[in-house]
Amino acid sequence: MPFTRIRGRTGAVGAVVIPASINGMPVTTIGDGAFYGSSILTSVTIPASVTSIRDSAFQDCAGLTGVTIPSSVTIIGNNAF
């Protein structure tokens, strides 16, 4: 099944809500280093479509104070947070 991987960010960041799908394809993975070092990321809400948060996805996000992780996430990589 095709899927979409969140690989990074563009534009302003603060409170981020990861979409459940992009262009009709489910978002299932937050990729390696997707938000690495984003000092202005404050919170993240992850949809139930996501099953994997890869290595260093949110590593060194000094401003991150809240994360909502659904039970669908079965893989959390090394240094993900």
Side-chain angles (χ1 to χ4, degrees), residues 22-50:
I22 297 175
N23 295 328
M25 294 173 44
V27 173
T28 61
T29 302
I30 299 173
D32 293 338
F35 293 89
Y36 180 90
S38 178
S39 61
I40 57 176
L41 179 65
T42 58
S43 66
V44 178
T45 301
I46 300 169
S49 62
V50 171

Side-chain angles (χ1 to χ4, degrees), residues 50-66:
V50 171
T51 58
S52 175
I53 301 171
R54 296 297 183 181
D55 295 346
S56 304
F58 298 98
Q59 185 177 0
D60 291 339
C61 293
L64 186 60
T65 58

